[in-house]
């Protein structure tokens, strides 16, 4: 029986470069925390392969592109999305209620735009 990585806690380490798409191969990951680093670029769509992911914390980096990347709404176990302090753009998707476990959405100091979808009210 193999032991697999379930969490990445890499906050405040001075990490740089881009978020590697190979992260999607860590199928048992339940949490990613790279808070307060210098990681740049976009969130890889391969994150959508992490069906057990509960926390995605990428706050205080230099990331850009959409916070709500293609496939994020498939991550139905997500309890927290923390993207504050990045240059994320785009909108909060109207299907956000698909993330029925979501308890935290932190997107302060980003470039999100558009309307707050009414479906956000369906999140408990």
């Amino acid at each position: 029986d193999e032991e697999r990585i379930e969490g990445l806690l890499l906050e405040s380490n001075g990490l740089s470069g881009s978020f590697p798409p190979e992260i999607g191969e860590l199928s048992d990951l339940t949490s990613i925390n790279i808070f307060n680093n210098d990681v740049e670029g976009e969130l890889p769509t391969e994150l959508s392969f992490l069906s057990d992911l509960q926390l995605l914390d990428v706050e205080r980096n230099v990331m850009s592109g959409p916070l709500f990347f293609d496939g994020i709404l498939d991550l139905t176990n997500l309890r927290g999305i923390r993207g504050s302090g990045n240059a994320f753009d785009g909108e909060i998707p109207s299907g956000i209620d698909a993330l029925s476990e979501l308890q935290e959405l932190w997107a302060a100091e980003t470039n999100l735009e558009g309307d707050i979808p009414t479906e956000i009210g369906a999140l408990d």
Side-chain angles (χ1 to χ4, degrees):
D1 193 25
E2 288 183 36
E3 291 188 28
R4 303 187 110 182
I5 294 176
E6 294 181 6
L8 291 177
L9 178 57
L10 300 171
E11 68 179 64
S12 301
N13 279 304
L15 298 175
S16 59
S18 61
F19 211 112
E22 291 80 8
I23 195 84
E25 297 173 18
L26 299 175
S27 59
D28 289 339
L29 270 183
T30 59
S31 66
I32 297 172
N33 182 335
I34 61 166
F35 171 81
N36 195 32
N37 282 288
D38 292 312
V39 177
E40 60 188 18
E42 297 187 8
L43 290 169
T45 57
E46 289 83 357
L47 287 171
S48 65
F49 302 153
L50 304 177
S51 60
D52 293 331
L53 193 65
Q54 295 176 19
L55 175 64
L56 177 61
D57 187 346
V58 295
E59 281 190 283
R60 305 277 174 242
N61 280 279
V62 287
M63 301 189 80
S64 58
L67 176 58
F68 295 94
F69 56 88
D70 288 340
I72 195 170
L73 297 181
D74 296 331
L75 298 176
T76 56
N77 289 309
L78 266 179
R79 294 177 177 269
I81 301 171
R82 300 176 183 168
S84 297
N86 285 285
F88 289 124
D89 58 22
E91 298 182 356
I92 299 172
S94 60
I96 193 156
D97 57 328
L99 301 177
S100 59
E101 299 296 320
L102 194 64
Q103 298 172 357
E104 299 176 341
L105 173 55
W106 297 357
E109 301 172 10
T110 64
N111 296 320
L112 293 182
E113 57 188 15
D115 294 334
I116 297 172
T118 58
E119 293 86 350
I120 207 162
L123 297 171
D124 289 331

